[in-house]
Amino acid sequence: MGRVNPRERRAARHQPPNPDAEAAPRPRRRKAPITVEQVIDTALDVVATEGYEALTMRRLAGALDTGPASLYAHVVNKADLDELLIGRLCAELVLPEADPAAWRNQIRGVCAQMRDQYLKYPGISRAALAMAPTDLEIVRVGEGLLAILLAGGVAPQAAAWAIDALLLYVAAYCLEVSIARRRSTQDDAAWVLDRAELLRRFTALPVETFPHTTRHAAELTAGEGHDRFDFTLALMVDGLERR
């Protein structure tokens, strides 16, 4: 394994399984070796308890009670680890059979599933940004979204760009929620998630300078749970339908 070029090793891991290779006898290895699955499990545990920003290769090696060099037998670098983590989360998503009559709800449903997966692990959606995926589970989700949009009559180019925009929005939304939650634990920033405090601040602004903000302070601060998320997804999907 150590003699394989890292780029080749990464590419090989994302290839469909080879039944013949799986059936071939494997050489004996040391007792209780670290596996890729164990690396992913441990990394997700670190993110769940400490946040994505705490996840470094050194921190992960410590959690696995090994040295960083042992990790590089399975993970090429931090970007490779990021892709493995997002791939694991994508593997949890249930993709519906594309239905022309229900494509809008199907798209929103898949995005909501991804949102919920991201929010289990504070800040992890940052790992999905600027990623050119090769992980088959990530590609599977892209394939499923594309099938849904095409079934809904969306042109291929519009569908491709829409998927990019939808996934970018989901990742950004979840990252903002994670940041806001972290800030809300700080005494001097607890008001970030306090709607009543935001409303008070907006309505206290000088009316002559901020006439629209003060008049529509209630609308600007409205929304519970994922109301804004649902609104934005509907806005994006409705725009596709109009095209």
Side-chain angles (χ1 to χ4, degrees):
M1 176 73 95
R3 295 182 180 180
V4 178
N5 179 280
R7 184 184 297 273
E8 294 175 353
R9 182 170 69 244
R10 182 180 183 187
R13 189 173 63 233
H14 296 309
Q15 293 297 316
N18 185 333
D20 295 333
E22 292 294 324
R26 296 182 178 182
R28 296 184 62 184
R29 303 179 66 184
R30 69 181 180 86
K31 185 177 180 181
I34 294 174
T35 66
V36 173
E37 291 303 311
Q38 187 179 1
V39 170
I40 298 172
D41 290 340
T42 304
L44 288 177
D45 286 342
V46 170
V47 177
T49 56
E50 303 175 32
Y52 176 74
E53 292 181 353
L55 182 64
T56 63
M57 298 298 279
R58 183 175 296 277
R59 174 69 185 88
L60 179 56
L64 286 164
D65 194 24
T66 189
S70 298
L71 295 182
Y72 291 115
H74 305 285
V75 181
V76 176
N77 50 32
K78 182 58 162 52
D80 189 27
L81 176 61
D82 285 345
E83 188 175 359
L84 287 170
L85 297 181
I86 299 303
R88 170 67 69 80
L89 300 188
C90 284
E92 299 295 323
L93 304 187
V94 178
L95 301 178
E97 188 71 26
D99 182 353
W103 69 274
R104 302 167 193 80
N105 288 334
Q106 288 182 332
I107 283 291
R108 291 195 289 264
V110 174
C111 289
Q113 287 186 66
M114 181 166 288
R115 174 202 68 201
D116 293 343
Q117 286 296 320
Y118 283 158
L119 292 180
K120 290 179 183 178
Y121 304 97
I124 200 169
S125 62
R126 185 191 300 271
L129 300 175
M131 176 182 291
T134 59
D135 184 278
L136 295 182
E137 287 295 341
I138 301 176
V139 178
R140 178 184 72 92
V141 172
E143 171 74 15
L145 291 172
L146 184 59
I148 293 170
L149 290 179
L150 294 177
V154 180
Q157 186 62 79
W161 286 344
I163 291 170
D164 181 66
L166 287 165
L167 296 181
L168 182 61
Y169 172 69
V170 174
Y173 173 86
C174 293
L175 182 58
E176 184 181 52
V177 169
S178 296
I179 292 173
R181 287 177 177 174
R182 186 179 70 246
R183 288 179 176 173
S184 71
T185 62
Q186 303 169 0
D187 292 339
D188 61 344
W191 61 271
V192 171
L193 294 182
D194 188 337
R195 179 176 179 270
E197 175 63 16
L198 286 175
L199 183 62
R200 185 192 68 78
R201 288 171 180 246
F202 283 159
T203 54
L205 293 169
V207 177
E208 62 277 9
T209 307
F210 304 99
H212 300 299
T213 301
T214 53
R215 180 177 181 179
H216 300 291
E219 289 84 358
L220 290 170
T221 58
E224 301 292 338
H226 298 302
D227 286 349
R228 293 178 181 234
F229 178 88
D230 295 336
F231 170 82
T232 304
L233 281 189
L235 196 66
M236 297 172 76
V237 173
D238 289 348
L240 280 173
E241 185 177 19
R242 284 193 293 271
R243 289 179 65 93

